[in-house]
């Protein structure tokens, strides 16, 4: 069986992506976890990445499914009365969490307008003499109000379909330089690794992308003809990618204003009003014979706890993902278990351990040297190791950009 078909149900693109509630692990409720993205007043150094997920089946379908293998009735497990009560409680908790997220994003306009009103109030607190020295400030606030309204129109569309709005700059042409820097080497490594496979036969090669966020890397891999599955843990990412994959009918269909929520480190006043058009590709343009899917849930629970998943994947591609682990040993052991013998693990990213210094959370933080040695101990042969510089969700107009000295490697399961 194609591993991309396990643990979720395929639906047509026209029918949309169906989200099945995970009864074991709630998708993470942070928007972003890397510096450089304004998370509505959250400190980005404290956010967590999480695993990501969606699904494509051509011709053509994008499916969302939640993992939690062994916990749904589809698996035929008899939990008994006690199990049923626990499952009902879990479903109820999951539903409440989902609606909490929808409510949070439905309040976007009020929150953003309040922040902009604060700027006006602060401006009026200045002496009149100083106000006159800033003649265009209030005009810019009016334009920010208009941009908030424009963003909210998209949010209303998304929330009507039980989806949400996040900063989707990586789905735009403006995000291409950043994607090219970090994604392209990973995709090129797949091309090189499977160079002997004709392009028209790449659909038989199954590639898993844990921590796939909005699903762009998984999509780009599928666009190359490989059957790709993304895995994501965050509802914010999952629902936004559902919107991109299933509700976009043409290139540059929607316009958003992703930079209006922070005025810090801006060179030109007009930069905060820079618009971005999404998506910059047609999500339905996947080669025939190629599966593209997104699966929601915790990476370890979805892929590491059922023997049916072991040895199913030809390649695992991790990008800005492995440092989301609480226990990095679990991550590496799971990647090793689910790969076929001789399968390839391609990685790029830093080691910004997301749970370091987080109260009441386990966090095992290793150096790069220790991660490499651990991979060898688990059963990987390291073939390529090289550094690569990358920003993450950086504002191209900003005066401050975080640049990571990422570790990139290719390893084979022996």
């Amino acid at each position: 069986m194609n591993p991309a078909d396990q643990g979720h149900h395929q639906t047509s693109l026209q029918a949309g992506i169906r989200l099945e509630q995970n009864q074991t692990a709630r998708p993470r409720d942070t928007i972003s976890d890397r510096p450089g993205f304004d998370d509505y007043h959250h400190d980005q150094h404290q956010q967590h990445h999480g695993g990501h997920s969606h699904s494509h089946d051509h011709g053509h379908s994008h499916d969302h499914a939640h993992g939690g293998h062994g916990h749904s009735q589809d698996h035929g497990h008899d939990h008994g009365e006690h199990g049923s009560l626990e499952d009902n409680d879990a479903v109820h908790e999951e539903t409440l969490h989902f609606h909490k997220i929808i409510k949070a994003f439905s309040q976007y306009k009020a929150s953003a307008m309040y922040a902009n009103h604060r700027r006006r109030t602060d401006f009026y607190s200045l002496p009149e003499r100083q106000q006159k020295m800033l003649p265009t400030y209030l005009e810019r606030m009016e334009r920010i109000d208009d941009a908030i309204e424009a963003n909210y129109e998209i949010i209303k569309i998304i929330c009507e379909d039980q989806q949400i709005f996040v900063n989707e700059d990586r789905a735009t042409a403006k995000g291409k330089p950043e994607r090219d820097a970090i994604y392209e080497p990973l995709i090129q490594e797949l091309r090189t690794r499977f160079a002997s496979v004709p392009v028209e036969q790449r659909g038989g090669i199954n590639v898993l992308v844990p921590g796939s966020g909005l699903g762009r890397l998984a999509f780009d891999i599928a666009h190359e003809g490989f059957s790709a599955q993304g895995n994501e843990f965050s509802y914010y990412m999952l629902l936004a990618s559902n919107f991109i994959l299933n509700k976009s009918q043409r290139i540059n269909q929607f316009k958003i204003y992703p930079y209006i929520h922070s005025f810090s480190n801006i060179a030109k006043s007009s930069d905060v009003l820079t618009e971005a058009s999404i998506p910059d590709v047609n999500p339905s343009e996947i080669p025939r014979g190629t599966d593209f899917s997104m699966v929601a849930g915790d990476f370890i629970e979805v892929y590491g706890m059922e023997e049916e998943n072991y040895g199913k994947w030809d390649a695992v591609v991790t990008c800005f993902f492995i440092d989301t682990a609480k226990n990095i040993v679990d991550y590496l052991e799971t990647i090793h278990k689910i790969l076929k013998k001789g399968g390839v693990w391609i990685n790029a990213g830093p080691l910004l351990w997301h749970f370091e210094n987080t109260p009441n959370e386990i966090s095992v933080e290793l150096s790069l040297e220790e991660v490499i040695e651990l991979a060898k101990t688990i059963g990987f042969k390291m073939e390529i190791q090289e550094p690569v510089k990358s920003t993450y969700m950086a504002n191209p107009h900003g005066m401050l950009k975080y640049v990571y000295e990422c570790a990139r490697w290719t390893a084979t399961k022996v």
Side-chain angles (χ1 to χ4, degrees):
M1 176 181 289
N2 183 339
D5 294 332
Q6 296 188 23
H8 68 279
H9 304 284
Q10 299 286 350
T11 59
S12 69
L13 176 62
Q14 289 73 24
I17 299 174
R18 179 171 60 197
L19 282 169
E20 300 174 5
Q21 300 306 313
N22 186 341
Q23 297 178 3
T24 59
R26 189 170 72 193
R28 206 183 321 275
D29 57 358
T30 59
I31 299 176
S32 173
D33 40 295
R34 301 281 181 181
F37 174 70
D38 179 38
D39 184 12
Y40 306 131
H41 323 303
H42 288 285
D43 179 356
Q44 292 313 294
H45 292 280
Q46 301 301 319
Q47 299 301 324
H48 311 303
H49 214 2
H52 304 73
S53 39
H54 298 296
S55 156
H56 233 79
D57 180 26
H58 290 273
H60 294 303
S61 74
H62 303 262
D63 299 343
H64 282 234
H66 277 266
H69 291 271
H71 295 274
S72 73
Q73 294 180 357
D74 292 339
H75 291 275
H77 290 192
D78 183 7
H79 297 280
E81 183 177 352
H82 179 67
S84 297
L85 290 175
E86 288 183 345
D87 288 348
N88 288 338
D89 289 343
V91 170
H92 179 66
E93 180 184 358
E94 187 76 6
T95 300
L96 290 177
H97 176 66
F98 182 77
H99 286 295
K100 177 182 176 182
I101 291 173
I102 297 298
K103 181 179 179 180
F105 276 87
S106 69
Q107 294 173 341
Y108 163 81
K109 178 180 175 181
S111 176
M113 287 293 190
Y114 179 83
N116 215 34
H117 178 68
R118 190 270 305 163
R119 294 188 181 100
R120 287 190 181 88
T121 301
D122 291 350
F123 175 82
Y124 284 124
S125 71
L126 301 178
E128 185 175 352
R129 174 183 60 82
Q130 293 180 348
Q131 293 182 30
K132 291 179 178 179
M133 298 169 67
L134 304 170
T136 64
Y137 191 86
L138 289 178
E139 178 185 354
R140 180 155 51 117
M141 295 306 101
E142 294 299 322
R143 295 179 64 192
I144 294 294
D145 282 347
D146 292 341
I148 291 170
E149 292 282 2
N151 283 349
Y152 190 60
E153 288 304 309
I154 295 179
I155 289 174
K156 288 193 295 185
I157 296 171
I158 296 172
C159 288
E160 284 174 358
D161 198 34
Q162 299 298 288
Q163 300 159 37
I164 57 175
F165 172 88
V166 300
N167 184 328
E168 291 160 338
D169 196 40
R170 276 211 170 192
T172 75
K174 295 181 184 298
K176 188 176 187 300
E178 189 174 274
R179 293 196 305 268
D180 287 348
I182 197 69
Y183 287 177
E184 181 57 30
L186 303 178
I187 296 171
Q188 181 57 46
E189 185 64 22
L190 281 175
R191 296 189 195 108
T192 301
R193 176 65 55 160
F194 298 103
S196 62
V197 180
V199 174
E200 62 273 13
Q201 295 179 20
R202 286 179 178 173
I205 299 170
N206 299 299
V207 182
L208 178 64
V209 185
S212 56
L214 294 178
R216 182 56 187 259
L217 177 57
F219 172 85
D220 286 348
I221 290 172
H223 196 263
E224 292 286 325
F226 300 99
S227 287
Q229 182 171 102
N231 166 236
E232 178 51 51
F233 194 52
S234 166
Y235 266 142
Y236 289 99
M237 294 293 183
L238 287 166
L239 300 180
S241 59
N242 180 23
F243 170 67
I244 294 292
L245 292 173
N246 282 339
K247 303 304 174 184
S248 301
Q249 300 175 346
R250 64 182 184 275
I251 294 175
N252 296 334
Q253 182 176 354
F254 302 101
K255 293 186 184 298
I256 60 174
Y257 296 86
Y259 309 119
I260 61 174
H261 304 109
S262 175
F263 286 13
S264 297
N265 290 306
I266 297 298
K268 295 172 59 178
S269 298
S270 59
D271 288 345
V272 296
L273 287 157
T274 301
E275 65 181 30
S277 298
I278 57 173
D280 68 334
V281 293
N282 188 336
S284 66
E285 292 182 353
I286 298 292
R288 293 284 175 178
T290 298
D291 292 330
F292 173 35
S293 59
M294 293 291 289
V295 172
D298 178 78
F299 171 62
I300 301 299
E301 294 187 6
V302 174
Y303 296 96
M305 294 188 174
E306 293 276 337
E307 291 187 7
E308 65 186 38
N309 294 311
Y310 300 172
K312 295 293 185 180
W313 298 92
D314 298 286
V316 174
V317 179
T318 52
C319 183
F320 279 70
F321 172 69
I322 65 172
D323 56 359
T324 68
K326 297 180 181 180
N327 179 355
I328 184 62
V329 183
D330 282 345
Y331 268 27
L332 269 58
E333 285 186 332
T334 298
I335 292 171
H336 189 268
K337 283 190 295 187
I338 65 178
L339 279 170
K340 297 177 181 178
K341 187 174 183 179
V344 61
W345 172 28
I346 304 170
N347 175 75
L351 293 177
L352 178 63
W353 299 106
H354 290 192
F355 291 94
E356 184 176 12
N357 300 321
T358 301
N360 304 316
E361 291 284 4
I362 294 173
S363 182
V364 179
E365 301 109 17
L366 303 184
S367 67
L368 175 59
E369 179 183 45
E370 289 173 317
V371 171
I372 296 299
E373 288 304 311
L374 174 62
K376 293 177 181 177
T377 299
I378 287 173
F380 285 104
K381 179 182 178 182
M382 306 302 293
E383 298 184 358
I384 298 174
Q385 291 179 246
E386 60 186 10
V388 57
K389 293 183 183 295
S390 174
T391 58
Y392 191 94
M393 301 300 289
N395 182 344
H397 307 293
M399 298 167 63
L400 174 65
K401 297 179 178 66
Y402 292 89
V403 179
Y404 291 93
E405 187 83 19
C406 298
R408 189 170 77 83
W409 65 71
T410 298
T412 301
K413 177 179 177 177
V414 296

